[in-house]
C-alpha cells in the first residue's frame, strides 16, 4: 500500500508538498501535476492524507497541570503517561502555572489541533471554562481539581476529610493553637482542605475569629509557604502547630521555622501531600499521603473509556488519603 512518502519520492517532492496538493495548499502547477501523476501510478488515494492526519491527532491527548516541578503533579503525570501508552496514546504536557488565561490558550490549542481528549487539573474552580471542548464533543476528565460548573468526568481526592483528619491528629497530640497555611483562594483543593481544617477546629471549640487569625493563604509554592509561616510566627499569640495545605509550602514553612530557631515537634508541622524526603528530614515529617499516581492512572482510564465510545453517565471517582504519622507531630510534651 503506497504512502505519502512513496508518492513524494516518486514525484521528487517533500511529503509536505503532497499533503498541500491534496488539502488545497499553494503548490506550483508543475509540482501538483507530478504529485497527482505519481499518486495515480502508485494507486494512492488522496483521502488517505486526511485520514492519516486524523489518525495522528486521535492518538494524542493533552494533560494540563499547574506545575510539573511539584512532585505531586510529576507523579500524577507519570500515571497518566503510563496508562496512555498502554492504550497507544501519546501525551502532550502543559504547565498552566495556575493562570486561567494560560490554561485557556492551551485548551484552545487542544481544539485547534483536534486532540483526542484532555485531562486537566483546573486552575480555578469558578473561572476554568471547559464548555468549548464539551460543546465540540471532546472527552474531558478533570483530575485532582474540579471546576464547579463543568459537566465532565472527574477523578478527585477526598481533600476535606483528609484535612480534617490532619487537624484532629494535631489536636489529639496536644497542640492547642493549630494554624493553617491554605492554598490560593479559588482552587477546589485549597477550599476543600481549608474547610476540613475549619471543621476540626470548630469541633474542638475554636472560635471563627481564632480560626481566621491563624489562617494564611499561600500559592502552593515554597515561597508562599515561607511567607505565610513568617506571618504566623509574628502573631501576638503564636501558634504551636501548623497544618500546611501542600508539600511545597510545607518546605517553605520548615525553612521559616529553621530561620526563627523553632523546631518540630515542639512546634508541630503536618503537610498535606507526601514528599520523597519526608521520612529523611529531622524530625521526619508527618504527612497526608495522596494517591497521586493513582489519580493519573484513573483519569487516563476514564478518558480511554470515553474514547472507546463509553455511553455511561458522567462519573466522579473519589480516592482516599492516608495519614502517615511521623515525629514532626510527636507533641509539645512526651506522650505516654
Amino acid at each position: 500500500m503506497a504512502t505519502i512518502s512513496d508518492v513524494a519520492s516518486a514525484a521528487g517532492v517533500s511529503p509536505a508538498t503532497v499533503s498541500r496538493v491534496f488539502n488545497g495548499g499553494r503548490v506550483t502547477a508543475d509540482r501538483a501535476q507530478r504529485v497527482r501523476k505519481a499518486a495515480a501510478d502508485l494507486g494512492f488515494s488522496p483521502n488517505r492524507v486526511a485520514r492519516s492526519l486524523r489518525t495522528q491527532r486521535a492518538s494524542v491527548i493533552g494533560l494540563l497541570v499547574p506545575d510539573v516541578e511539584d512532585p505531586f503533579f510529576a507523579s500524577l503525570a507519570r500515571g497518566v503517561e503510563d496508562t496512555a501508552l498502554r492504550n497507544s496514546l501519546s501525551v502532550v504536557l502543559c504547565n498552566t502555572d495556575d493562570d486561567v488565561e494560560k490554561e485557556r490558550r492551551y485548551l484552545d490549542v487542544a481544539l485547534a489541533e483536534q486532540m483526542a481528549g484532555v485531562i486537566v487539573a483546573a486552575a480555578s474552580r469558578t473561572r476554568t471554562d471547559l464548555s468549548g471542548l464539551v460543546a465540540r464533543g471532546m472527552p474531558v476528565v478533570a483530575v485532582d481539581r474540579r471546576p464547579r460548573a463543568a459537566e465532565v468526568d472527574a477523578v478527585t481526592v477526598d481533600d476535606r476529610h483528609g484535612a480534617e483528619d490532619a487537624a484532629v491528629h494535631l489536636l489529639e497530640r496536644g497542640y492547642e493553637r493549630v494554624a493553617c497555611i491554605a492554598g490560593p483562594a479559588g482552587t477546589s483543593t485549597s477550599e476543600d482542605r481549608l474547610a476540613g481544617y475549619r471543621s476540626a477546629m470548630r469541633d474542638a471549640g475554636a472560635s471563627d475569629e481564632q480560626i481566621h487569625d491563624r489562617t494564611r493563604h499561600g500559592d502552593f509554592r515554597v515561597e508562599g509557604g515561607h511567607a505565610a509561616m513568617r506571618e504566623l510566627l509574628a502573631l501576638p499569640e503564636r501558634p504551636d502547630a501548623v497544618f500546611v495545605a501542600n508539600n511545597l509550602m510545607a518546605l517553605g514553612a520548615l525553612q521559616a521555622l529553621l530561620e526563627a530557631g523553632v523546631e518540630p515537634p515542639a512546634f508541630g508541622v503536618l503537610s498535606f501531600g507526601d514528599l520523597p524526603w519526608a521520612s529523611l528530614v529531622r524530625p521526619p515529617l508527618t504527612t497526608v499521603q495522596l494517591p497521586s499516581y493513582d489519580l493519573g492512572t484513573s483519569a487516563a482510564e476514564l478518558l480511554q473509556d470515553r474514547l472507546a465510545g463509553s455511553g455511561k453517565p458522567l462519573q466522579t471517582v473519589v480516592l482516599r488519603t492516608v495519614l502517615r504519622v511521623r515525629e514532626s507531630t510527636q507533641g509539645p510534651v512526651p506522650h505516654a
Side-chain angles (χ1 to χ4, degrees):
M1 181 180 295
T3 66
I4 293 177
S5 296
D6 294 332
V7 175
S9 178
V13 298
S14 70
T17 299
V18 177
S19 178
R20 285 196 293 271
V21 169
F22 293 122
N23 287 281
R26 299 184 65 180
V27 181
T28 64
D30 176 63
R31 288 188 176 185
Q33 183 179 3
R34 283 162 31 208
V35 167
R36 294 187 187 282
K37 182 178 185 305
D41 291 345
L42 294 170
F44 180 81
S45 171
N47 290 335
R48 289 202 193 106
V49 177
R51 185 160 58 247
S52 175
L53 291 172
R54 286 195 301 270
T55 300
Q56 292 174 27
R57 290 165 178 161
S59 66
V60 176
I61 64 173
L63 171 60
L64 281 63
V65 298
D67 183 7
V68 76
E69 291 185 346
D70 184 329
F72 170 78
F73 287 111
S75 177
L76 185 155
R78 186 55 186 262
V80 170
E81 181 185 35
D82 288 350
T83 305
L85 287 176
R86 287 196 296 271
N87 291 286
S88 301
L89 296 170
S90 299
V91 181
V92 175
L93 178 61
C94 309
N95 284 286
T96 66
D97 296 316
D98 277 327
D99 182 330
V100 174
E101 180 59 26
K102 187 175 181 181
E103 177 185 68
R104 183 192 63 77
R105 291 199 299 269
Y106 280 132
L107 294 174
D108 287 345
V109 168
L111 277 174
E113 294 298 323
Q114 301 178 43
M115 290 184 181
V118 168
I119 297 172
V120 55
S124 170
R125 182 193 287 264
T126 58
R127 293 187 295 135
T128 290
D129 185 4
L130 303 176
S131 60
L133 281 69
V134 173
R136 292 276 292 273
M138 180 178 290
V140 180
V141 177
V143 65
D144 183 49
R145 307 170 175 186
R146 181 169 186 173
R148 184 172 291 154
E151 295 184 359
V152 297
D153 292 306
V155 184
T156 64
V157 170
D158 194 350
D159 288 297
R160 177 165 182 152
H161 286 103
E164 191 169 2
D165 290 345
V168 167
H169 168 75
L170 288 167
L171 293 166
E172 290 179 342
R173 286 300 176 101
Y175 299 104
E176 297 179 349
R177 300 178 302 281
V178 179
C180 175
I181 300 178
T187 62
S188 63
T189 48
S190 175
E191 293 176 0
D192 291 346
R193 292 168 195 175
L194 180 56
Y197 161 78
R198 287 171 172 166
S199 176
M201 299 308 295
R202 288 185 182 118
D203 288 346
S207 68
D208 287 346
E209 182 180 3
Q210 289 174 322
I211 294 170
H212 178 269
D213 289 345
R214 295 171 186 161
T215 298
R216 294 293 183 277
H217 286 273
D219 57 2
F220 278 154
R221 289 173 172 78
V222 174
E223 295 78 8
H226 183 270
M229 191 72 254
R230 285 173 58 89
E231 290 184 16
L232 290 170
L233 290 174
L235 288 174
E237 186 179 34
R238 192 169 78 177
D240 59 1
V242 64
F243 162 64
V244 190
N246 93 321
N247 47 17
L248 294 183
M249 291 196 303
L251 178 58
L254 288 170
Q255 289 178 337
L257 289 171
L258 178 64
E259 292 165 3
V262 179
E263 297 182 2
F267 189 104
V269 180
L270 195 157
S271 168
F272 201 102
D274 216 348
L275 285 162
W277 44 260
S279 62
L280 302 179
V281 298
R282 291 293 176 267
L285 185 65
T286 296
T287 62
V288 177
Q289 185 175 349
L290 299 172
S292 53
Y293 184 85
D294 292 340
L295 276 167
T297 60
S298 297
E301 287 168 355
L302 270 181
L303 189 64
Q304 174 59 28
D305 285 347
R306 292 300 176 195
L307 293 175
S310 171
K312 298 177 182 177
L314 293 176
Q315 300 180 62
T316 296
V317 177
V318 181
L319 305 182
R320 298 289 295 180
T321 62
V322 177
L323 183 64
R324 298 295 186 192
V325 178
R326 301 185 180 99
E327 293 175 20
S328 70
T329 57
Q330 185 174 313
V333 294
H335 287 259

